[in-house]
Every structure is written in C-alpha cells, then in structure tokens.
C-alpha cells in the first residue's frame, strides 16, 4: 500500500484536492429550490441503502409476527370451532323443541275435537327385523294401554297395539303384511279391507268390481274390525285396477307421511261420521239485472217457432169453444179445430172476442124443434137429427112468440 501511495503520490494528492474543492463547492452552491448540493448528493446516496434496510426490517418483523409471536393461534382456532359446534347443537336443540311444541299443539287440538278418549305417546324405538314394521312407544299398561287398542295421528291411522308392557307398548304399523282393518270409501261408500304390503303402499281388498272408484278418493275407517272407530282417515287412492270379482286398489297411508314421532292411543274409541265430499262446483253469485233489462223482460214475448204459433192457435180455438184442455171428463166432445179463429199477439184485444160468460137461458115453445135451443154462436153445435114423424098442421095464424123471445137481438 505504501509503495502504491509513493508511486502515485502526486496523483493522489491532486484527487484529494479536487474532491475537497468539490465538497466545498457543494456546501456553498445551492440549486433552484434553495437546497445545497451536498445535501442532495448525500440523500441520493443514502436512499437506496435505506430502502434495502427497511425492506429487510419489514420482512423480518412480519415473519416474527406471523410465525413466532402468534404461536397460540392454533389454540384460538380450536376454541372458536368448539364454540361454533356448541352453538350448532343448541340451535338444533331449539328447533327440535319448537317442532315438539308444534306437534304437541297439533295433538292437543286433535284431542279437543275428537270425541274419542286418547292418550299421547312418543315413539322411542323400532323393531329389530329387516322388514319389521313395528315401533315402540313410551306408554304401557301402567298408563292404561291394552292390547288391541288403535294408534292414530291427526293425519290418519298408524297401527294397533300388539303388546302392552308396564312402561312401553309395541305397535304394529299399517304397512306390515300382518295388518288388516275395515275401511270405507268417501264417495261411493264402498266397504273393503285394508292390508299392509310391507311397502309404503297399502292394498284394499274385497271391493266389488261394479263400484266406481277413482284415483284421489279418500278411504276412512268403517269400524267393522272393532279396533278403529268409524270416521278416521286412512289414506288416498293412488291406483285402481279392475278385476273379477274384486278390484285391486292401492292406497297411500296418510298417517305415515310426516314420520312417526308423537302418536295418540285410542283408550276409548267413539264412532264418527265419514265427512262429506267437498262440493266440486261452488255456487256462483249473479247480480240482479239493471232496470232497463227488467223493463224489456216485462214486455210480452214475441211469437216463437211454428210449434208455438200452432199451440197459440189451438188454445184460442179451445177458449172460443169453452173447452179446457186436460179437464174434460171421459167421453166429452173435444174442441173443433176446423173452426178458424184469428190469432192475435199476446196482450192485444181480439176484435169481436167472444165473452166467456154464457147468456141466460131462453125458454123455447114446445112446438119448436130441438135445434133452436139457445146457445152462444161460438158454443153452438149441430143438433142430432130428429126421428121422422108426421109434421103437425100449421095454423093459419101462428101464435105470437113470448115477450122475452121478441126482445132478444137478432144475432142470438
């Protein structure tokens, strides 16, 4: 190093002098913004180094904060997950409690409306068999349950009790192949026997082929089995197949559609009437006609068809002859329809109408022939011919007619 300085001593001194003068100039000289050049050079030289140092400091701080300082984040996540699980369980519990309250309310409403004495029970288990259609409820002989009692829900029948234990009972569902109950249809009142098939659908046997059953018709208990009282809903018809001598009818039970959680055991059954079928065509209200329409309707109707005109003509002929249709005695002479009577529109007065009141009877001399019997022109009928007899001698001066005959008008 000393050899190098000795060799380039002059140049080194020159460079040092030049550098010193530049520094002095930078200290004295300012730019257009009144900032000394020395400050500008210093900041420009230090800024890249400061940027690198700051990047290193920020990265190291983030690493320490994320991976060293927050070493207990895993425990916090576990605590929050446990809290979330607890809230979920509590939410499900509250939902179940709400559903239980709703079912209990529905059972209470059903119990208040049905005349049968019922006992509420909850399903606590199912049968162990693969195809078992048996459930267990939490009511037994201690609560008054006996074998053979019916089990229902507000939606329909469920089954019957086949075994009663002190604190529980075994219920055979209606879908079991060993189940049977008497049913009756709502529309046609067709009686049959409901049988389980081991499937969600049940079958109704012994319905005659002539009974007209349709899909969508309801079946109700008939009370013939002495287990289920009459009038409880059973299910709705899903398929009807004609057969000889009985039809094949498949019914979907209505009591099992919403699952089995709460049921009612009929301790004392009371028969009810099968509800009537709802009216398909409801009555329609029609407002009264306006006054103008009422005035038009009060006018006499115009002549209709040819048959109406002929009927009017025949009635006028009968009225003119004093004949009342449908009131004549057997053997009475009918009206003479060969008589031409002018037909006038209804409500108009006919010219020269014949009075219906008959004129007073007129005494005729014994010598007058029977054909002179006084009648009205309209009611006058030709007299039967008299038997042949010798004509009496005509007097020269015939006697004068009575006064009442002389006073009669010529048209009578």
């Amino acid at each position: 190093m000393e050899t190098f300085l000795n060799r380039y001593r002059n140049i080194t001194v020159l460079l040092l002098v030049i550098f010193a003068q530049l520094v002095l100039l930078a200290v004295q000289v300012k730019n257009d913004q009144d900032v000394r050049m020395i400050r500008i050079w210093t900041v420009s030289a230090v800024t890249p180094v400061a940027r690198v140092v700051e990047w290193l400091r920020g990265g190291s701080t983030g690493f320490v904060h994320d991976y060293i300082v927050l070493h207990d984040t895993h425990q916090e996540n576990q605590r929050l997950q446990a809290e979330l699980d607890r809230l979920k369980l509590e939410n499900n519990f509250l939902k179940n409690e709400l559903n239980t309250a709703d079912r209990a309310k529905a059972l209470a409403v059903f119990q208040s409306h049905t005349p049968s004495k019922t006992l509420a029970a909850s399903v606590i288990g199912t049968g162990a068999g693969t195809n078992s259609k048996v459930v267990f409820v939490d009511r037994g002989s201690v609560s008054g349950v006996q074998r053979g009692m019916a089990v229902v829900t507000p939606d329909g029948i469920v089954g019957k009790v086949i075994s009663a234990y002190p604190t529980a009972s075994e219920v055979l569902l209606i879908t079991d192949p060993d189940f049977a109950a008497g049913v009756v249809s709502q529309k046609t009142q067709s009686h049959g026997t409901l049988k389980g098939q081991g499937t969600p659908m049940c079958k109704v046997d012994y319905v005659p082929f002539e009974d007209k059953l349709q899909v969508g018709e309801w079946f109700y208990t008939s009370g013939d089995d002495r287990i289920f009282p009459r009038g409880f809903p059973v299910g709705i018809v899903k398929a009807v197949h004609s057969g000889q001598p009985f039809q094949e009818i498949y019914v979907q039970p209505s009591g099992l559609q919403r699952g089995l959680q709460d049921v009612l055991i009929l301790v004392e059954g009371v028969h009810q009437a099968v509800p009537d079928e709802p009216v398909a065509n409801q009555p329609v209200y029609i407002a009264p006609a306006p006054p103008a329409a009422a005035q038009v309707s009060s006018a006499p109707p115009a002549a209709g068809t040819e048959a109406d005109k002929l009927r009017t003509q025949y009635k006028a002929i009968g009225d003119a002859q004093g004949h009342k249709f449908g009131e004549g005695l057997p053997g009475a002479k009918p009206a003479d329809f060969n008589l031409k009577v002018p037909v006038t529109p209804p409500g108009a007065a006919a010219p020269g109408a014949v009075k219906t009141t008959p004129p007073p009877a007129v005494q005729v001399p014994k010598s007058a022939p029977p054909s002179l019997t006084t009648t009205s022109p309209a009611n006058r009928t030709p007299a039967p011919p008299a038997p042949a007899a010798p004509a009496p001698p005509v007097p020269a001066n015939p006697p004068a007619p009575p006064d009442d005959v002389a006073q009669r008008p010529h048209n009578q």
Side-chain angles (χ1 to χ4, degrees):
M1 184 69 181
E2 293 179 358
T3 303
F4 178 80
L5 293 176
N6 292 328
R7 182 181 300 180
Y8 300 100
R9 181 173 54 185
N10 297 329
I11 297 175
T12 303
V13 172
L14 179 61
L15 292 175
L16 291 175
V17 171
I18 293 173
F19 179 76
Q21 291 186 1
L22 290 175
V23 171
L24 292 175
L25 291 175
V27 171
Q28 297 176 1
V29 177
K30 297 181 180 179
N31 62 358
D32 54 354
Q33 296 181 359
D34 198 17
V35 178
R36 299 180 183 277
M37 296 300 296
I38 187 63
R39 180 178 294 275
I40 296 175
W41 294 348
T42 305
V43 171
S44 299
V46 174
T47 298
V49 179
R51 185 178 296 136
V52 172
V53 173
E54 181 64 22
W55 178 82
L56 293 176
R57 186 192 67 80
S60 61
T61 303
F63 176 79
V64 172
H65 184 270
D66 293 339
Y67 297 97
I68 298 177
V69 177
L70 299 180
H71 62 278
D72 58 344
T73 306
H74 180 67
Q75 290 79 3
E76 183 69 15
N77 290 337
Q78 289 182 343
R79 185 186 67 80
L80 294 177
Q81 187 65 34
E83 183 71 14
L84 180 61
D85 295 339
R86 185 184 66 81
L87 293 177
K88 288 182 177 180
L89 291 176
E90 185 178 355
N91 189 20
N92 293 333
F93 174 77
L94 294 177
K95 287 183 178 180
N96 293 333
E97 290 293 325
L98 182 60
N99 293 334
T100 303
D102 293 339
R103 294 194 303 270
K105 183 179 180 181
L107 292 179
V109 173
F110 180 76
Q111 285 179 311
S112 62
H113 286 81
T114 180
S116 302
K117 183 178 179 181
T118 59
L119 179 66
S122 298
V123 177
I124 59 176
T126 58
T130 305
N131 296 326
S132 176
K133 304 299 179 182
V134 177
V135 296
F136 291 88
V137 296
D138 60 351
R139 296 286 186 171
S141 57
V142 177
S143 302
V145 180
Q146 298 179 5
R147 179 183 179 184
M149 288 185 173
V151 181
V152 301
T153 62
D155 297 327
I157 64 174
V158 172
K160 61 181 179 180
V161 178
I162 57 176
S163 298
Y165 306 101
T167 58
S169 298
E170 187 177 1
V171 178
L172 181 69
L173 300 180
I174 61 176
T175 54
D176 192 274
D178 296 333
F179 179 87
V183 294
V184 60
S185 63
Q186 184 181 26
K187 297 180 181 179
T188 60
Q189 298 296 316
S190 301
H191 287 257
T193 301
L194 179 74
K195 293 184 178 180
Q197 302 293 312
T199 61
M201 301 292 290
C202 296
K203 185 179 180 182
V204 178
D205 291 335
Y206 310 117
V207 177
F209 70 94
E210 61 269 11
D211 292 346
K212 303 300 182 181
L213 294 176
Q214 299 178 355
V215 176
E217 185 172 355
W218 275 89
F219 269 94
Y220 289 81
T221 55
S222 62
D224 300 334
D225 49 25
R226 306 296 296 275
I227 297 177
F228 293 93
R230 179 182 177 88
F232 281 86
V234 174
I236 187 171
V237 177
K238 290 299 182 180
V240 179
H241 302 290
S242 59
Q244 186 69 24
F246 303 111
Q247 305 181 56
E248 293 184 1
I249 303 172
Y250 293 92
V251 176
Q252 182 180 6
S254 59
L256 304 178
Q257 293 183 357
R258 301 183 182 180
L260 287 180
Q261 294 180 348
D262 298 313
V263 296
L264 293 174
I265 302 175
L266 299 183
V267 180
E268 294 180 3
V270 178
H271 296 285
Q272 308 176 43
V274 176
D276 297 333
E277 180 186 1
V279 181
N281 297 327
Q282 299 291 336
V284 179
Y285 171 76
I286 300 179
Q295 294 176 3
V296 173
S297 61
S298 62
T305 61
E306 294 295 333
D308 296 336
K309 296 179 181 179
L310 189 61
R311 179 178 178 275
T312 304
Q313 182 179 359
Y314 285 170
K315 187 175 184 302
I317 293 174
D319 294 341
Q321 299 181 11
H323 179 77
K324 295 183 179 180
F325 295 96
E327 297 183 2
L329 297 176
K333 188 176 181 180
D336 184 9
F337 295 104
N338 294 326
L339 181 63
K340 300 298 182 179
V341 177
V343 180
T344 58
V354 180
K355 297 182 179 180
T356 56
T357 304
V362 179
Q363 296 181 358
V364 181
K366 295 181 179 181
S367 59
S371 60
L372 297 178
T373 304
T374 58
T375 56
S376 61
N379 296 334
R380 182 177 300 166
T381 56
V394 179
N397 296 322
D403 297 339
D404 54 352
V405 176
Q407 297 176 358
R408 291 178 57 194
H410 296 286
N411 59 353
Q412 297 185 4

